């Protein structure tokens, strides 16, 4: 039977070719067009915030990398194809049944440019697109400097591992890719054109094919030898010993490291063997080289280290790994900023016989005990301070401090932002949504340790609400420190929560104001923020960006119009500083009369030698993140510094980066990449510095590290015996970590209030308190840690045990069961407060919320727990003062009602009326302590009365009975002293 000759590709008509070209152009526009629009609008936006040099530098670096990587990889592949084609046999077998590749050869011959140039171009394009993503690695290589610290194994500066080694690995990886692709491209080309034939028993390989393939294979193996050399340094970030520790262990140094050198030598020999095939026709030599390389990789690189690990290290791990654990401890402390220069360890007994009212620092601590939980009160702020349905507050509020009348006070703070998702009805019309409802209004602060007087029983409580100080267009705060000159808020996380968070402000010259300001006036934006869309080209670009034709045709847009977008403060900082990792919390502060969003920025590394490597996402996750939906950073780190504080103006969106750590080599490298993008440390004003807080995410990372790396002895470290754990949050039904809390506490030396971030620590896999970590936020001691270490033989209750002790108290349990019938119970932040030179006081606000649609939390009771030499004592009352008197006896509550304390006589006015106060219970008449027998009898009677009231279901009678019981408990405690 005759065979039909192979046919080439079908020819296309002119019309078909035109249509095909048009289809390809349309597809390219659909794929590339949005990218070019994004580039153009980003170029406009970076110009608006005055960071265009950052945009240009990143773009140019990406383009340069795209071209270099694409050209190098594409050129190597093209050269391989060209050499293979040109060295093809001159006499090819005629097409027939014995030539299976004839049709492919014909197709290639008829489209030589398509295959010979198209394939390298496509491969180069893909390589360039992937390679350009490593722009930061390249920039850090050219701008990195030394750390001044050397690694303990090779004696190289840490800068080599941070800046140089990643670049060398980047170059090697792409050379590997290029050579491997070139090898297979040559192999296929030689096969198609007859240089390689598989027919017959032994096949056939032409000399040119043999030479070319040998050179490529030898080059690959030679690159592998270079890779083995650099792999030695990568061992210092080995994960072989995780989770015990990160870094090279005994096996790595004594087995893997020599194996790398042996394999490097073998790879060089094998490369020589491949190059020898250029001159020798015998392919057995390179074949033997391949076998040698594979078997040596298995035996020397894998089996030998495994034998050492199993039979030498594991039976004696504590001794074998001792020196390497010491390296890990030292490196981790340095990498995470928890060295002896920043961390002070203080022995703390965990029990005391002193009274807190006799310790000056405790007087300050108790007077400033925070009752308002910023993670609970967002619905309360919304209900009482929203003003309009289209305003809102974030799910989690924030804590900050201000100096009021010469006294430091802490506040729960929030900006009253525009909430686009709350717009209803015709408010959601495009004109209203984007040109009328454009901004929020005001700064709201509530005294953290004050509430309106809790009066009435728990079922009919009329108090327990925050006492506000508001600065908006119609209200001015009593204290100038909280006053905002222009309270209009165009930028904020709530505003940016909408999918389309842009606003269009301004219009034609002389046009009437359009933006909603108050019920009686409209407003036109006058700030510097926003990108001009007065010309048709920009309008077209943004209409395409947001796929919104109204931007093109709306008459509300004039020659002076601007579009405001990218309104999330953290997002703005991330865009102008893509090399920073931002904290999950941004908070507003009044600085020099303007509302500023403060954003904490971190510089990180993932390859600090011997430093513990961990996932940021896992380290910073806690119950608060889970409840509020905060974004978690998804990256591995082994080095972190809070080197940058950023501010974003709430009115005009101005982004300013400040250097706050002038010793960080990573920040110095980035400042070399982007000169003048970060303001020096000296540019931070005193007013701004006074509102810097130690960032929560960094503290969470460091407390996890301190849980292990407070241990000095490698033997104890290996046994985990002295480790701590972060307690789970006892106030919620979850096993997530308890978040850290900002508190205003008394300085142990001066008794003055200090703003600190705190966290208790419990024993490893236990619930007993083991340590208490606090870090300063005040400017003079910013970043200084103080770790109170409790003796290992104490039984000081931890947060879970304190919560259990308080809620299982008979008085508390009986009332909680009654409250649950008609209320949702919300436990506020459980504060752990070291007091009385050795004791631990737990304070927890209890909020109730009606079981109705529009209900919101209100403070109903305060729980207190204290352990001393006599045991655990629990206080439970409407006020902190009363609860403290139940625990410590009459008189301690007076500390809590000091001018800076809860419900004191100097409370500010709210809406023109002085907030009501609850007086401290008066001492017995005549100053005589009650008779102990009489107190016991009254206590028994009060308990019986409480049981009767509970059975009767009369809430009013139950509340009266509970008050009687509390008074009886106070009298009994007083009589017992």
């Amino acid at each position: 039977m005759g065979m039909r000759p192979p046919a080439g590709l079908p020819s296309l008509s002119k019309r078909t070719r035109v249509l095909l070209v048009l289809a390809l152009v349309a597809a390219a526009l659909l794929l590339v067009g949005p990218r070019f629009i994004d580039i153009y609008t980003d170029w406009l936006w970076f110009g608006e915030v005055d960071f265009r040099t950052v945009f240009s530098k990143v773009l140019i670096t990406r383009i340069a990398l795209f071209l270099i990587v694409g050209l190098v990889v594409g050129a190597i592949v093209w050269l391989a194809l060209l050499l293979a084609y040109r060295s093809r046999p001159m006499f090819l077998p005629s097409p027939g049944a014995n030539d299976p590749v004839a049709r492919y050869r014909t197709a290639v011959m008829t489209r030589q440019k398509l295959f010979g140039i198209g394939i390298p171009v496509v491969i180069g394009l893909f390589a360039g697109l992937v390679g350009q993503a490593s722009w930061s690695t390249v920039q850090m290589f050219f701008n990195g400097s030394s750390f001044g610290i050397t690694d303990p194994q090779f004696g190289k500066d840490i800068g080599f591992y941070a800046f140089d080694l990643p670049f060398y690995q980047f170059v090697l990886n792409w050379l590997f890719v290029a050579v491997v692709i070139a090898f297979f491209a040559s192999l296929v080309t030689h096969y198609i054109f007859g240089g390689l034939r598989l027919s017959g028993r032994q096949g056939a390989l032409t000399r040119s094919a043999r030479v070319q393939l040998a050179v490529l294979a030898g080059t690959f193996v030679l690159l592998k030898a270079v890779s083995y050399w650099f792999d030695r340094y990568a061992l210092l970030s080995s994960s072989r010993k995780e989770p015990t520790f990160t870094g090279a262990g005994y096996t790595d140094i004594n087995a893997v490291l020599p194996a790398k050198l042996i394999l490097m030598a073998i790879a060089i020999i094998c490369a020589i063997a491949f190059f020898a095939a250029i001159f020798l026709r015998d392919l057995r030599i390179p074949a033997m080289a391949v076998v040698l390389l594979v078997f040596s990789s298995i035996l020397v690189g894998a089996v030998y280290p495994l034998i050492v690990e199993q039979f030498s290290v594991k039976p004696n791990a504590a001794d074998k790994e001792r020196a390497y654990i010491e390296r890990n401890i030292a490196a981790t402390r340095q990498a995470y900023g928890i060295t002896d220069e920043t961390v002070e360890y203080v022995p703390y007994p965990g029990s005391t016989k002193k009274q807190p009212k006799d310790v000056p620092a405790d007087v300050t601590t108790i007077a400033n005990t925070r009752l308002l939980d910023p993670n609970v009160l967002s619905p309360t702020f919304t209900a009482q301070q929203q003003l309009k349905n289209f305003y809102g507050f974030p799910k989690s509020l924030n804590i900050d401090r201000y100096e009021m009348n010469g006294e430091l006070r802490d506040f729960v703070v929030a900006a009253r932002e525009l909430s686009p998702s709350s717009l209803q009805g015709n408010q959601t019309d495009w004109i209203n949504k984007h040109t009328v409802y454009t901004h929020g209004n005001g700064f709201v602060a509530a005294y953290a340790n004050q509430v309106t007087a809790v009066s009435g029983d728990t079922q009919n409580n009329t108090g327990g609400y925050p006492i506000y100080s508001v600065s908006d267009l119609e209200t001015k705060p009593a204290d100038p420190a909280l006053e905002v000159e222009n309270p209009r808020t165009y930028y904020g996380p709530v505003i940016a929560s909408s999918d389309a968070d842009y606003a269009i402000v301004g219009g034609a010259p002389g046009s009437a104001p359009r933006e909603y300001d108050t019920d009686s006036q409209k407003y036109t934006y006058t700030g510097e923020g926003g990108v001009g869309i007065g010309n048709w080209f920009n309008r077209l670009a943004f209409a395409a960006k947001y796929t919104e034709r109204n931007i093109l045709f709306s008459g509300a847009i004039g020659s002076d119009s601007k579009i405001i977008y990218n309104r999330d403060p953290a997002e703005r900082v991330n865009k102008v500083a893509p090399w920073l990792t931002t904290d999950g919390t941004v908070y507003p502060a009044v600085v020099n009369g303007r509302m500023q969003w403060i954003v904490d920025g971190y510089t990180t590394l993932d390859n600090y030698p011997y430093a513990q490597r961990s996932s940021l996402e896992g380290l910073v996750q806690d119950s608060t993140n889970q409840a509020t939906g905060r974004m978690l950073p998804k990256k591995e780190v082994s080095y972190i510094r809070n080197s940058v504080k950023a501010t974003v103006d709430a009115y005009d969106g101005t982004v300013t980066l400040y250097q706050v750590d002038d010793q960080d080599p990573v920040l110095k490298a980035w400042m070399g990449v982007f000169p003048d993008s970060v303001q020096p440390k000296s540019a931070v004003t005193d007013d701004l510095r006074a509102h810097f807080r130690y960032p929560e995410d960094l503290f969470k990372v460091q407390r996890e590290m301190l849980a292990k790396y407070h241990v000095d002895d490698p033997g104890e470290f290996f046994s985990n015996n002295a480790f701590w754990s972060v307690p789970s949050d006892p106030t919620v039904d979850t096993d997530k970590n308890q978040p850290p809390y900002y508190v205003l506490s008394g300085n142990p030396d001066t008794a003055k209030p200090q703003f600190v971030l705190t966290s208790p620590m419990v024993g490893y896999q236990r619930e007993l308190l083991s340590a208490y970590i606090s870090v300063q936020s005040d400017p003079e001691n910013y970043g200084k840690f103080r770790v109170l270490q409790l003796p290992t033989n104490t039984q000081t209750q931890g947060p879970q045990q304190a919560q259990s002790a308080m809620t299982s108290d008979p008085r508390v349990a009986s009332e909680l069961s009654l409250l649950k019938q008609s209320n949702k119970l919300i436990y506020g932040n459980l504060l752990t407060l070291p007091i009385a030179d050795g004791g631990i006081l737990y304070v927890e606000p209890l909020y109730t919320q009606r079981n109705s649609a529009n209900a919101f939390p209100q403070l109903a009771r305060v729980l207190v727990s204290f352990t001393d030499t006599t045991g655990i004592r629990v206080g439970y009352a409407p006020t902190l003062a009363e609860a403290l008197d139940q625990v410590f006896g009459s008189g301690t509550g007076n500390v809590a009602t000091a001018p800076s304390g809860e419900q004191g006589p100097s409370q500010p006015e709210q809406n023109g009326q002085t907030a009501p106060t609850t007086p401290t219970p008066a001492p017995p008449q005549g100053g005589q302590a009650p008779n102990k027998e009489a107190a016991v009898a009254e206590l028994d009677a009060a308990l019986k009365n409480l049981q009767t009231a509970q059975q009767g279901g009369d809430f009013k009678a139950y509340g009266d009975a509970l008050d009687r019981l509390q008074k009886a408990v106070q009298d009994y405690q007083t009589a017992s002293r």
Side-chain angles (χ1 to χ4, degrees):
M1 180 181 292
M3 299 294 295
R4 186 173 64 180
L9 293 177
S11 60
L12 302 176
S13 65
K14 183 177 181 181
R15 181 181 177 185
T16 304
R17 292 178 181 176
V18 171
L19 291 176
L20 182 60
V21 170
L22 290 176
L24 291 174
V25 170
L29 288 176
L30 289 174
L31 292 173
V32 181
R35 183 57 182 161
F36 279 112
I37 291 171
D38 287 340
I39 291 174
Y40 176 67
T41 54
D42 282 348
W43 181 78
L44 294 174
W45 184 85
F46 276 91
E48 171 215 335
V49 294
D50 199 25
F51 278 87
R52 189 164 285 167
T53 54
V54 173
F55 176 81
S56 302
K57 193 73 169 279
V58 173
L59 183 61
I60 291 171
T61 307
R62 285 180 178 271
I63 292 174
L65 267 183
F66 171 81
L67 294 174
I68 293 172
V69 174
L71 285 173
V72 169
V73 175
I76 291 175
V77 174
W78 172 80
L79 183 62
L81 289 172
L82 179 65
L83 292 175
Y85 176 75
R86 288 191 172 181
S87 60
R88 69 190 185 282
M90 297 304 296
F91 300 99
L92 297 176
S94 58
N98 295 326
D99 190 4
V101 297
R103 66 180 63 189
Y104 304 110
R105 184 185 311 120
T106 303
V108 172
M109 292 295 291
T110 56
R111 296 287 189 275
Q112 292 186 35
K113 291 184 178 179
L114 177 63
F115 288 97
I117 298 178
I119 290 176
V121 167
V122 171
I123 292 174
L125 285 174
F126 278 107
L129 287 173
V130 177
Q132 58 85 31
S134 299
W135 67 271
S136 59
T137 300
V138 175
Q139 286 290 1
M140 292 295 275
F141 172 74
F142 288 109
N143 292 276
S145 58
S146 66
F147 274 61
I149 303 171
T150 57
D151 78 84
Q153 180 63 36
F154 300 106
K156 284 189 169 293
D157 188 271
I158 302 300
F160 168 79
Y161 300 91
F163 309 127
D164 299 341
L165 185 59
F167 177 77
Y168 298 145
Q169 292 173 326
F170 166 79
V171 173
L172 273 174
N173 288 338
W174 280 112
L175 289 176
F176 274 126
V177 169
V179 171
V180 168
I181 296 176
F183 179 85
F184 284 104
S186 297
L187 190 68
V188 172
T189 304
H190 282 296
Y191 177 65
I192 290 175
F193 287 98
L196 170 64
R197 293 192 300 274
L198 301 179
S199 58
R201 292 185 178 182
Q202 298 180 346
L205 188 67
T206 63
R207 182 179 183 280
S208 58
R210 186 183 73 251
V211 169
Q212 185 175 358
L213 294 176
V215 169
L216 287 172
T219 303
F220 176 85
V221 176
L222 195 60
L223 288 173
K224 189 63 181 175
V226 177
S227 178
Y228 282 133
W229 176 263
F230 287 111
D231 284 348
R232 299 179 311 129
Y233 302 115
L235 282 176
L236 301 196
S237 296
S238 169
S239 58
R240 179 189 294 269
K241 293 299 179 180
E242 291 181 359
T244 305
F245 66 93
T246 298
Y250 181 91
T251 301
D252 294 302
I253 297 302
N254 294 279
V256 179
L257 182 58
K260 294 290 183 183
L261 293 173
I262 294 171
L263 289 172
M264 183 183 69
I266 293 173
I268 293 174
I269 294 171
C270 291
I272 295 172
F274 276 108
F275 292 138
I278 298 173
F279 310 101
L280 302 176
R281 293 181 58 87
D282 192 351
L283 295 179
R284 289 177 295 179
I285 295 177
M288 292 172 59
V290 171
V291 173
L292 175 62
L293 187 62
V294 171
F295 273 93
S296 60
S297 298
I298 295 173
L299 295 176
V300 179
V303 175
Y304 173 61
L306 183 62
I307 293 173
V308 172
E309 178 73 18
Q310 294 295 325
F311 298 101
S312 178
V313 176
K314 281 194 174 182
N316 311 284
D319 293 329
K320 295 286 187 180
E321 305 290 6
R322 185 178 185 86
Y324 308 103
I325 292 175
E326 287 180 346
R327 294 178 177 184
N328 173 252
I329 292 173
T332 301
R333 289 177 177 177
Q334 179 64 39
Y336 288 91
I338 51 174
T339 59
D340 292 339
E341 288 76 18
T342 56
V343 182
E344 176 190 12
Y345 294 94
V346 179
Y348 196 75
S351 61
T352 183
K353 295 183 179 180
K354 290 186 178 181
Q355 287 286 321
K357 63 183 178 181
D358 299 328
V359 181
D362 294 346
V363 173
T364 303
T365 299
I366 293 175
N368 290 283
T369 301
R370 178 161 55 82
L371 299 179
L372 299 185
D373 186 346
N375 297 312
V376 170
L377 290 177
S378 180
T380 305
F381 268 53
T382 301
Q384 297 184 329
Q385 293 294 328
Q386 185 182 26
L387 298 185
K388 296 292 181 181
N389 72 288
F390 45 80
Y391 292 141
F393 297 95
K395 290 182 180 180
S396 180
L397 309 179
N398 281 286
I399 297 291
D400 199 4
R401 72 285 196 198
Y402 291 82
E403 193 168 296
M404 314 287 286
N405 300 320
E407 185 179 3
L408 196 64
R409 304 288 302 275
D410 56 344
F411 292 82
V412 177
V413 297
R416 186 190 290 128
E417 299 182 57
L418 175 73
S419 178
S421 60
S422 299
L423 296 171
Q424 300 294 326
N426 200 45
Q427 293 173 341
T428 60
D429 179 80
W430 185 87
I431 285 289
N432 289 329
K433 184 175 182 179
H434 295 288
T435 69
V436 176
Y437 301 113
T438 59
H439 59 275
N441 175 18
F443 178 80
V444 181
Y447 296 87
N449 64 335
Q450 288 182 336
V451 294
T452 57
V454 179
S455 59
D457 59 57
T458 53
Q459 297 297 323
N460 300 284
N461 183 15
T462 59
Y465 297 118
I467 299 172
Y468 299 100
S469 184
V470 179
S471 179
D472 57 29
L473 290 169
E474 297 181 338
T475 311
K476 298 298 179 186
D479 196 290
L482 295 170
E483 184 174 351
V484 183
E485 296 172 0
N486 188 344
R488 299 175 182 89
T489 305
Y490 284 83
Y491 298 86
V494 176
I495 295 173
S497 61
S498 174
D499 292 336
D501 67 329
Y502 66 91
I504 296 176
V505 297
S511 60
R514 178 182 296 273
E515 302 173 57
Y516 176 86
D517 220 24
T518 66
D519 289 340
S520 59
Q521 68 179 23
K522 304 294 184 183
Y523 181 72
T524 298
Y525 182 70
T526 60
E528 297 295 325
V531 174
I533 54 173
N535 63 76
W536 281 100
F537 188 80
N538 284 2
R539 289 177 72 169
L540 180 62
F542 283 100
K545 177 181 177 68
Y546 293 108
T547 60
E548 180 55 69
R549 65 178 182 274
N550 288 317
I551 295 178
L552 277 178
F553 303 115
S554 175
I557 302 176
S559 58
D560 291 340
S561 292
K562 294 180 177 181
I563 184 168
I564 295 174
Y565 61 108
N566 291 340
R567 298 206 275 175
D568 186 341
E571 180 187 353
R572 292 176 77 82
V573 172
N574 279 324
K575 286 184 74 70
V576 303
W579 40 275
L580 283 177
T581 300
T582 54
D583 193 90
T585 301
V586 300
Y587 60 99
V590 180
V591 181
N592 297 318
R594 296 186 69 90
M595 195 194 312
Q596 303 279 351
W597 294 100
I598 299 180
V599 184
D600 287 286
Y602 307 123
T603 54
T604 61
L605 295 173
D606 62 359
N607 58 347
Y608 192 102
Y610 274 106
Q612 190 68 27
R613 184 172 54 245
S614 303
S615 166
L616 270 186
E617 181 181 13
L619 293 176
V620 305
Q621 191 173 71
D622 59 26
S623 60
T624 302
N625 296 120
Q626 187 178 38
T628 60
R630 288 177 182 168
M631 295 298 293
L632 300 175
K634 298 181 183 297
K635 66 186 310 182
E636 296 275 332
V637 299
S638 62
Y639 172 95
I640 187 169
R641 289 289 188 275
N642 177 213
S643 299
V644 173
K645 300 278 189 180
T647 62
V648 178
D649 192 281
Y651 179 70
D652 63 23
T654 300
V655 181
T656 309
L657 308 177
Y658 295 98
Q659 178 189 26
V660 292
D661 184 350
D662 52 10
Q663 302 300 315
D664 179 19
V666 181
L667 177 59
K668 290 178 181 178
W670 283 117
M671 291 176 71
V673 178
F674 304 112
D676 303 324
S677 63
V678 181
Q679 301 298 312
K681 200 173 184 178
S682 58
V684 181
T685 64
D686 291 339
D687 196 11
L688 175 59
R689 193 183 303 277
H691 293 286
F692 284 166
R693 308 184 317 182
Y694 200 83
E696 292 182 64
D697 286 355
L698 177 60
F699 181 78
K700 293 174 190 176
V701 171
Q702 290 173 318
R703 72 175 176 179
E704 289 280 4
M705 293 301 142
L706 283 169
K708 295 172 61 177
Y709 290 95
H710 69 278
V711 178
D712 293 316
D713 182 70
E716 283 193 347
F717 186 97
F718 185 82
S719 67
N720 299 352
N721 182 51
F723 285 178
W724 303 329
S725 296
V726 178
S728 57
D729 191 346
T731 66
V732 294
D733 295 329
T734 178
D735 58 354
K736 298 297 182 182
N737 287 347
Q738 184 183 37
Y741 297 125
Y742 291 102
V743 298
L744 203 59
S745 64
N747 185 288
D749 300 321
T750 66
K752 293 182 178 180
Q754 57 182 9
F755 193 65
V756 294
L757 184 57
T758 66
S759 176
M761 303 294 285
V762 295
Y764 187 63
Q765 302 297 324
R766 302 181 68 199
E767 296 298 341
L768 292 172
L769 194 69
S770 292
Y772 178 82
I773 303 174
S774 63
V775 62
Q776 291 269 7
S777 289
D778 296 334
E780 57 272 16
N781 293 306
Y782 183 89
K784 297 295 184 181
F785 281 82
R786 191 166 187 262
V787 181
L788 305 181
Q789 289 185 281
L790 279 72
T792 56
N793 59 350
T794 58
Q795 298 292 312
T796 306
Q797 59 181 355
Q800 285 283 359
Q801 295 170 322
Q803 175 80 2
S804 177
M806 292 187 293
T807 56
S808 62
D809 183 273
R811 296 171 300 143
V812 180
S814 59
E815 182 173 348
L816 293 183
S817 63
L818 190 64
L819 282 173
K820 289 178 181 177
Q821 297 177 13
S822 57
N823 294 273
K824 176 183 178 182
L825 301 185
I826 303 173
Y827 293 101
N829 38 221
L830 179 60
L831 301 181
T832 307
L833 304 173
I835 63 170
D837 290 344
I840 297 293
L841 175 69
Y842 291 97
V843 178
E844 181 178 40
L846 174 65
Y847 300 90
T848 58
Q849 180 174 319
R850 301 285 185 182
N851 294 324
S852 59
N854 298 319
F856 51 90
Q858 66 179 125
L859 181 68
R861 290 290 185 264
V862 179
L863 293 158
V864 171
S865 175
F866 183 75
T867 305
D868 62 6
T869 54
T870 63
I872 300 174
R873 289 181 281 176
V874 174
Y876 178 72
T879 67
L880 176 60
E882 294 174 87
L884 288 173
D885 280 342
Q886 292 174 13
V887 171
F888 296 105
S890 180
T892 303
N894 292 331
V895 174
T897 57
S900 62
E902 175 251 347
Q903 297 182 348
S906 63
Q907 288 179 342
E909 293 186 349
Q910 182 184 13
N911 299 327
Q913 296 182 353
T914 303
T917 63
T918 299
T920 305
Q925 294 182 358
Q928 299 294 323
N931 181 273
K932 187 172 183 179
E933 289 76 10
V936 172
E938 172 61 18
L939 185 61
D940 291 337
L943 284 170
K944 291 179 181 179
N945 186 33
L946 181 66
Q947 293 173 353
T948 302
Q950 185 177 8
Q951 294 171 356
D954 186 340
F955 291 152
K956 180 66 170 63
Y958 181 82
D960 294 340
L962 189 62
D963 291 339
R964 178 182 175 185
L965 177 61
Q966 290 170 345
K967 181 65 168 60
V969 171
Q970 293 172 7
D971 291 344
Y972 174 77
Q973 290 174 340
T974 302
S976 300
R977 285 176 170 78

